Amino acid sequence: MADPEIKSYEPYRESQSEAVTESRPVRVAAMAVAFAFLAIFLLLPLIVVFNESFAKGTSAYTEALASPDTRSAIRLTLLVAAISVPLNAVFGISAAWAIAKFEFKGKAFLTTLIDLPFSVSPVISGLVYVLLFGAQGLLGEWLKAHGIVILFAVPGIVLATIFVTFPFVARELIPLMQEQGSGDEEAALSLGANGWQAFWYVTLPNVKWGLLYGVLLCNARAMGEFGAVSVVSGHIRGLTNTMPLHVEILYNEYNAVGAFAVASLLAGLALVTLVLKTLLEMRYGAEIAATRGH
Amino acid sequence: MNTAPAKAGWRFRQPSVIPGFGLTLGFSLAYLTLIILIPLSGLVWRSAALGWTDFWAIAVDRRTLNALKISFGTAFLAAAVNVVFGTIVAWVLVRYRFPGRRIADAMVDLPFALPTAVAGIALTTLYAPNGWIGQLLMPLGIKVAYTPLGIVVALVFIGLPFVVRTVQPIMEEIDKEVEEAAASLGASRFQIITRVLFPGLAPAIVTGFSLAFARGVGEYGSVIFIAGNLPFKSEIAPLLIVIRLEEYNYAAATAIAAIMLALSFLMLLVINLVQSWSRKRYG
């Protein structure tokens, strides 16, 4: 460890001395490769989405978005996100409280289990619910006898969405709350606060930006999920079609403007998510978890 | 709840003044069990119920084998491409200062935020024979859309942030003094990068590779549009699961899913071993 007092006399430098950076041609070449790669793989697809959706003019674009099927797809996507995101947020807070504030056996294993949905293919995430609730499924007969419809209906779509977005909030909050420790809560409790008060007035304000960050990522995935939802939805137009599924239907019908118009809304959502995410990182970087996978 | 543990010295949890352990752990476990564990064990149970001969027949079916080969092969290639370019991108973002760096950095997360179906139709339009990039490749005799190469392109898009975001924080932590020491001892820039910096980055690069690979194997939304989906040629395993499901062939869908899960876990295990080895070797 360097002595901090000595270090503070040294002016901060970017250290661009020739010894510890590449020669100018190498730098230029590396930047050219990086920019070309980002432009081809990230920027161009984004431009194509907006270019194609306005290929036949603004009126064709607005007309495509005004169709009843598109509007019901938008409503369904909003509904599914409005149910699944808050549930996963409550789970994330609860799991982070248990894992970060206490020491107990099997904690590491529990943390691994929470991340499990990330290593499962979206199609398999949908498949497991078909095996459970489908006509040939384990609970299929029972559900049919009681007139409960889960598969090829909104509940199935919500379940599949919850499955794929399950870890998002928890994995933001767990490292953040672990880093913060429980000193603040202990102080609040010793001053006479009860558990709920300690949570509402101490913990929640401490983690609010991290929570918002997790919710933001969770929401983006919830609204954009395709594979899992595709397996359980049944693709009934106007009823069980979410926006991403509607994009597929329109695209397969060679309705490019329609497909890209709906896609442009989803791309807009992605851009807003990225901007908010970047702002949160810039403004509250220290108050969001130090470790950031995705 | 507050009864003393039966054996002294073994406690399920350490004592704490913070309340809410039972409530939060209980709710978390219940939710985890209902949403994740029961459905996943249903898959395991169903494939176990298949019996070995049926399971084996599905596993060695030529179409299944081809789909698995295509999924794992294209995911491997795409992850390899991402390791090379993702590391360069991370290096440029960490080490060089240029206008628009913040925007370029934020853009890297686009594949996380953009719905896969949107990526799929956008990439297909770009690489179709009459698309912006497809047009340029056509005279060279390279067909991307509706071929296995298209699958690789989609998986490169999907996997890029996994590599960059794993390697980037480790690069930021590199102590410049180590490089300065190496330089002062007469090492060339190339030697410093390959002999001093690379060993430190290797575990992160392996992790990034494995994350991109794992994601690529399971990817569905972006691939099905660009792949062409020809059986034996460009049909990925997740698509074959969907096709079997649509045929109401639950047994085959379950078996393929179980094989995919088993292979993915096996692969992650191997990569974890490689990682701990490289940490010991270079760490």
Side-chain angles (χ1 to χ4, degrees):
Chain A
M1 275 302 255
D3 188 345
E5 269 183 60
I6 294 173
K7 198 139 202 189
S8 67
Y9 287 106
E10 259 185 299
Y12 177 75
R13 59 198 165 94
E14 269 302 336
S15 185
Q16 288 296 342
S17 77
E18 280 302 315
V20 289
T21 189
E22 295 74 48
S23 62
R24 204 180 147 73
V26 176
R27 281 209 303 268
V28 170
M31 282 172 74
V33 168
F35 287 148
F37 190 77
L38 291 179
I40 290 173
F41 277 95
L42 301 182
L43 200 56
L44 273 183
L46 202 57
I47 294 172
V48 160
V49 170
F50 292 102
N51 186 59
E52 290 289 319
S53 55
F54 289 103
K56 289 188 180 138
T58 339
S59 58
Y61 177 79
T62 48
E63 223 168 86
L65 290 183
S67 92
D69 285 346
T70 302
R71 282 162 66 179
S72 87
I74 295 172
R75 270 198 303 274
L76 181 59
T77 292
L78 293 175
L79 174 72
V80 169
I83 300 171
S84 52
V85 175
L87 279 175
N88 279 341
V90 169
F91 163 74
I93 293 170
S94 162
W97 183 274
I99 289 172
K101 305 286 180 201
F102 301 96
E103 289 302 325
F104 57 92
K105 296 270 188 286
K107 200 156 103 163
F109 184 60
L110 177 61
T111 316
T112 312
L113 282 183
I114 291 175
D115 267 347
L116 196 61
F118 277 156
S119 43
V120 174
S121 168
V123 167
I124 297 178
S125 314
L127 170 73
V128 292
Y129 290 108
V130 176
L131 295 180
L132 214 53
F133 301 124
Q136 305 174 33
L138 297 174
L139 300 174
E141 289 294 315
W142 187 86
L143 289 174
K144 206 177 166 193
H146 290 75
I148 304 169
V149 181
I150 293 182
L151 214 58
F152 309 132
V154 177
I157 299 175
V158 171
L159 278 174
T161 306
I162 291 178
F163 188 110
V164 291
T165 59
F166 188 85
F168 277 103
V169 177
R171 64 163 17 211
E172 287 304 323
L173 286 185
I174 291 169
L176 177 62
M177 279 167 68
Q178 272 174 336
E179 206 176 83
Q180 288 177 345
S182 30
D184 288 2
E185 285 81 5
E186 279 162 16
L189 291 168
S190 75
L191 292 169
N194 65 32
W196 280 110
Q197 286 172 322
F199 172 72
W200 273 110
Y201 297 113
V202 177
T203 312
L204 206 54
N206 276 344
V207 300
K208 61 175 186 267
W209 298 116
L211 177 64
L212 185 63
Y213 191 85
V215 165
L216 196 67
L217 300 183
C218 184
N219 180 65
R221 181 72 193 267
M223 290 192 170
E225 178 51 28
F226 180 79
V229 169
S230 165
V231 171
V232 297
S233 122
H235 306 271
I236 308 163
R237 284 177 92 125
L239 280 179
T240 63
N241 232 8
T242 62
M243 286 168 80
L245 298 181
H246 199 51
V247 168
E248 184 197 20
I249 287 190
L250 293 173
Y251 187 81
N252 287 342
E253 287 171 351
Y254 300 102
N255 181 352
V257 170
F260 277 102
V262 181
S264 75
L265 294 183
L266 290 168
L269 170 78
L271 287 178
V272 169
T273 303
L274 284 186
V275 169
L276 290 177
K277 178 176 170 297
T278 309
L279 287 178
L280 277 176
E281 283 167 7
M282 279 161 69
R283 183 101 175 65
Y284 303 103
E287 291 161 65
I288 303 173
T291 48
R292 187 171 304 121
H294 64 101
Chain B
M1 273 252 319
N2 288 326
T3 50
K7 270 184 276 177
W10 192 94
R11 282 167 189 278
F12 173 57
R13 75 171 172 108
Q14 305 292 314
S16 160
V17 295
I18 308 274
F21 179 70
L23 176 71
T24 53
L25 186 70
F27 174 74
S28 303
L29 286 179
Y31 191 74
L32 177 78
T33 308
L34 280 176
I35 300 287
I36 310 291
L37 299 183
I38 290 179
L40 270 183
S41 41
L43 174 74
V44 176
W45 187 80
R46 284 290 286 246
S47 52
L50 264 180
W52 184 244
T53 37
D54 287 352
F55 189 89
W56 188 249
I58 297 163
V60 296
D61 176 58
R62 258 192 65 221
R63 193 159 167 196
T64 311
L65 283 179
N66 270 297
L68 288 170
K69 209 170 72 190
I70 290 162
S71 272
F72 281 82
T74 52
F76 187 90
L77 270 179
V81 170
N82 272 329
V83 158
V84 175
F85 290 96
T87 307
I88 296 175
V89 167
W91 184 260
V92 167
L93 290 175
V94 170
R95 285 302 177 96
Y96 304 157
R97 293 291 168 270
F98 50 90
R101 189 182 65 93
R102 197 59 246 196
I103 296 172
D105 190 47
M107 276 288 290
V108 169
D109 279 332
L110 182 72
F112 285 153
L114 194 70
T116 51
V118 177
I121 62 170
L123 289 170
T124 311
T125 307
L126 264 181
Y127 287 92
N130 58 353
W132 291 347
I133 298 178
Q135 256 172 8
L136 302 176
L137 297 176
M138 206 48 177
L140 306 171
I142 304 169
K143 272 194 73 184
V144 178
Y146 319 119
T147 70
L149 194 57
I151 304 177
V152 177
V153 167
L155 296 184
V156 168
F157 173 85
I158 292 297
L160 175 69
F162 288 93
V163 175
V164 177
R165 293 297 183 238
T166 319
V167 176
Q168 200 176 12
I170 310 297
M171 274 182 185
E172 273 161 3
E173 275 168 24
I174 293 174
D175 197 346
K176 282 257 170 78
E177 281 161 23
V178 179
E179 288 169 67
E180 283 166 354
S184 74
L185 292 169
S188 72
R189 189 63 197 157
F190 181 75
Q191 281 173 318
I192 294 174
I193 288 176
T194 52
R195 310 284 282 273
V196 178
L197 296 178
F198 181 74
L201 293 174
I205 292 175
V206 174
T207 307
F209 176 87
S210 65
L211 290 174
F213 183 51
R215 175 67 203 266
V217 167
E219 178 57 21
Y220 175 72
S222 59
V223 172
I224 55 161
F225 294 98
I226 201 168
N229 305 328
L230 286 172
F232 307 108
K233 281 211 177 112
S234 56
E235 183 179 71
I236 54 168
L239 177 66
L240 191 56
I241 293 177
V242 171
I243 290 173
R244 294 303 186 218
L245 264 184
E246 280 168 0
E247 297 167 352
Y248 296 102
N249 189 348
Y250 282 26
T254 310
I256 302 167
I259 295 167
M260 275 187 74
L261 279 182
L263 283 175
S264 299
F265 284 131
L266 191 73
M267 198 198 68
L268 286 180
L269 190 75
V270 170
I271 284 162
N272 270 331
L273 289 176
V274 171
Q275 241 180 317
S276 65
W277 172 81
S278 76
R279 229 179 258 130
K280 258 183 231 143
R281 172 93 165 69
Y282 297 113

